[in-house]
Amino acid sequence: MMRLFTLFLFFFFASSNVIAQTDKPVFQHFSKGKAFWGIGISPVYSDMIGSYTDIAVRKNNTSLGILLAPMYGKFVQQNLMVGLMGIAGFHTEQRKYMTYPVTTGIPPFFPNVDTKDVNNSLDLGLVPMARYYFNLNRRNTLAIFLQAGLPAVYSKYTNTTTYKYVTGGIDRFSNQYSEFALRGSIGFGLSVQGKTGSFDTHVSNMGWFLSFNKLLQK
C-alpha cells in the first residue's frame, strides 16, 4: 500500500508543476471560514475496514465492492480544519472451485465436489476529524497535511460455503460475526488545490483514501 501511495505522491508533485505553469491565482482555500464538502473512495483493504472499492471479474473468482467516504470540513483558523467523515462500504467476493467431498473416504473413489465460497463485508461509520495543512508553494496549489480522527465503525462479515454433489445433494455452511470499533487514528496526506476545490489522498490505519473536495465559500 505504501508503494502505491508513494507513486501518487510523485504524480501529484508532477501535476502541481504543470498547474503552476498555466494558472496565475494564489489560492486561499485554507483561510478561516472557508468550508468544503467532498466524497472519497478507498481502493484497498485495511485492518479496520473490511470493504473497499473493487471491480475484479475473473473466471471462477469475482470481487465487487464500493466504499464511499463523504466529508464536510470547515477551517476554524488558518490551515486548521475540523470536520466529519462518513464511512459506507460493501464488498463481496465469490470463488468457485472443485474440492474433495466433505465425507470421509479414499479420494479416487469419490468424485470432486463443486464448491462455492461467498464472503461479504459491510461497514458503516462516522469519523470526527481534524487536519492541519502545510502549503508547499507560493501559489498554495500543493499542500501536505496531518490528520487525526476518532473513527467509530460498525462492521459485519458473513461467509457461506456451498457444496453441490453429483448426486444432486447440496450442503451449505454459513458463519458471521460483527463488531463495533472505536479507535484513534493518525495519518497524513497530500492535497492539490484548484479553482473549485481540491483533490487529496491520505493514509492512516483506516486505510488509503482518494477524495475530491468542493469549495463552498470562495
Side-chain angles (χ1 to χ4, degrees):
M1 184 173 72
M2 291 303 298
R3 181 178 297 178
L4 291 174
F5 185 73
T6 302
L7 291 175
F8 265 88
L9 289 180
F10 174 79
F11 168 77
F12 286 131
F13 276 110
S15 64
S16 68
N17 291 331
V18 175
I19 294 173
Q21 295 174 3
T22 57
D23 293 336
K24 298 299 181 181
V26 175
F27 298 115
Q28 303 295 333
H29 293 351
F30 304 150
S31 300
K32 182 178 179 179
K34 296 294 180 67
F36 287 86
W37 70 264
I39 187 72
I41 63 171
S42 179
V44 296
Y45 171 83
S46 80
D47 64 349
M48 186 173 182
I49 302 172
S51 54
Y52 56 96
T53 302
D54 181 27
I55 300 178
V57 180
R58 300 179 294 273
K59 183 179 180 179
N60 298 326
N61 194 342
T62 300
S63 298
L64 299 172
I66 184 71
L67 192 156
L68 299 178
M71 187 271 289
Y72 172 82
K74 186 172 184 177
F75 284 87
V76 295
Q77 67 178 49
Q78 183 71 32
N79 294 344
L80 178 60
M81 184 187 76
V82 296
L84 186 67
M85 183 170 72
I87 298 291
F90 177 78
H91 188 271
T92 183
E93 181 180 12
Q94 301 183 15
R95 297 189 305 123
K96 296 180 180 179
Y97 54 94
M98 303 293 289
T99 189
Y100 290 126
V102 178
T103 56
T104 59
I106 303 175
F109 296 96
F110 292 88
N112 287 343
V113 178
D114 286 325
T115 305
K116 181 179 180 180
D117 271 335
V118 179
N119 301 307
N120 294 327
S121 296
L122 172 69
D123 296 284
L124 299 171
L126 289 175
V127 187
M129 52 176 280
R131 289 180 179 178
Y132 193 87
Y133 290 79
F134 301 88
N135 286 312
L136 297 180
N137 57 17
R138 294 181 178 179
R139 294 185 52 251
N140 300 337
T141 58
L142 188 68
I144 59 174
F145 59 87
L146 300 178
Q147 176 177 297
L150 189 63
V153 180
Y154 168 79
S155 299
K156 182 178 180 180
Y157 171 81
T158 61
N159 166 261
T160 301
T161 302
T162 303
Y163 300 97
K164 186 176 182 181
Y165 305 99
V166 293
T167 59
I170 295 177
D171 281 330
R172 183 173 289 109
F173 302 90
S174 299
N175 64 81
Q176 68 177 34
Y177 71 85
S178 59
E179 66 173 355
F180 176 80
L182 180 64
R183 305 182 192 174
S185 174
I186 297 177
F188 63 95
L190 180 70
S191 179
V192 177
Q193 282 68 248
K195 293 181 180 180
T196 60
S198 66
F199 181 80
D200 69 60
T201 177
H202 61 92
V203 63
S204 68
N205 65 315
M206 289 188 295
W208 175 32
F209 289 83
L210 305 171
S211 305
F212 172 76
N213 307 301
K214 171 69 175 179
L215 181 65
L216 298 181
Q217 299 182 23
K218 299 184 178 180

